[in-house]
Amino acid sequence: MDNIIIRPLESGDRDRLPPLLKALDEFHHDRQPDLFRTPEEMHQKRLEKDIFSRYSNGSIQGFIALDGEQAVGLVTGVIRPMDSIITKTRTVGFVNELIVLEPHRGTPLATRLMEQIEKHLVEQGAEELGLSVVSINHRALSFYKRLGYNPQTFQMSKPVAHLNTEITKDKSCE
């Protein structure tokens, strides 16, 4: 852990990002393949939407963790004004993604990355910090709670495939 340096993302880091993002995409897809795209599909979507240029042009801000020349962690975020009908207007710093490669999980690296992005987002004017985490990622949920993040809303979903079957059954009983 002592060899690892954390520094702001630079334009030259563009080639280091796909392997890190692939690790995140694999995590999601492996656990919920019916919901998440494959890592290859996600990479293609990022290319189509030119996401990688956002990391280097500053519209997505972030920090990379390097162990020598190897990227082993990444955290990114953005500042957004929030102005909805139901909530008060505020400037929120959103953590987009936090990635720590497997050999470095369970070390202080994730905390160090979060400290960097939180400090940066506050310096950029964030009045509040927010993030989204997939409900199946219990380890991340616990980690973010330890850092002081608390749920404000819950996004919930319900598969409707079985409802179509029930509707068909109900109509056949008439």
Side-chain angles (χ1 to χ4, degrees):
M1 183 70 191
D2 294 336
N3 316 357
I4 295 176
I5 63 157
I6 296 174
R7 63 162 174 74
L9 279 172
E10 299 170 355
S11 59
D13 293 325
R14 186 179 180 129
D15 292 339
R16 290 183 165 126
L17 301 180
L20 292 169
L21 294 164
K22 183 178 182 185
L24 179 65
D25 299 339
E26 285 173 344
F27 176 87
H28 290 137
H29 184 263
D30 289 351
R31 283 157 185 79
Q32 283 190 295
D34 55 324
L35 178 62
F36 292 101
R37 297 178 193 273
T38 66
E40 296 75 22
E41 290 170 322
M42 283 299 301
H43 181 70
Q44 187 59 39
K45 287 288 183 188
R46 287 186 184 102
L47 291 175
E48 289 170 12
K49 295 182 178 274
D50 200 22
I51 297 296
F52 294 109
S53 69
R54 294 182 187 175
Y55 292 107
S56 55
N57 73 14
S59 59
I60 296 176
Q61 301 152 30
F63 295 86
I64 192 164
L66 299 170
D67 187 356
E69 288 297 311
Q70 181 187 6
V72 296
L74 173 73
V75 65
T76 66
V78 296
I79 298 281
R80 287 192 203 134
M82 296 298 292
D83 187 16
S84 77
I85 295 171
I86 59 173
T87 61
K88 295 180 179 181
T89 302
R90 62 209 190 282
T91 302
V92 180
F94 283 95
V95 178
N96 290 342
E97 59 239 335
L98 170 65
I99 305 164
V100 174
L101 295 183
E102 187 60 46
H104 299 278
R105 292 183 189 152
T107 71
L109 183 55
T111 302
R112 288 180 53 206
L113 284 163
M114 286 297 292
E115 288 169 350
Q116 288 291 319
I117 197 69
E118 289 175 342
K119 179 181 176 202
H120 179 75
L121 293 171
V122 169
E123 287 171 353
Q124 298 300 309
E127 302 167 297
E128 178 180 318
L129 299 172
L131 54 82
S132 294
V133 60
V134 180
S135 62
I136 59 167
N137 194 343
H138 303 289
R139 188 173 181 178
L141 284 164
S142 296
F143 172 71
Y144 292 130
K145 284 181 181 179
R146 280 194 311 273
L147 293 182
Y149 289 84
N150 294 300
Q152 288 185 343
T153 62
F154 290 98
Q155 178 178 334
M156 301 173 78
S157 66
K158 176 180 177 178
V160 296
H162 73 282
L163 292 176
N164 292 335
T165 306
E166 291 174 10
I167 291 169
T168 305
K169 285 180 188 176
D170 286 346
K171 285 184 179 181
S172 65
C173 294
E174 292 176 354

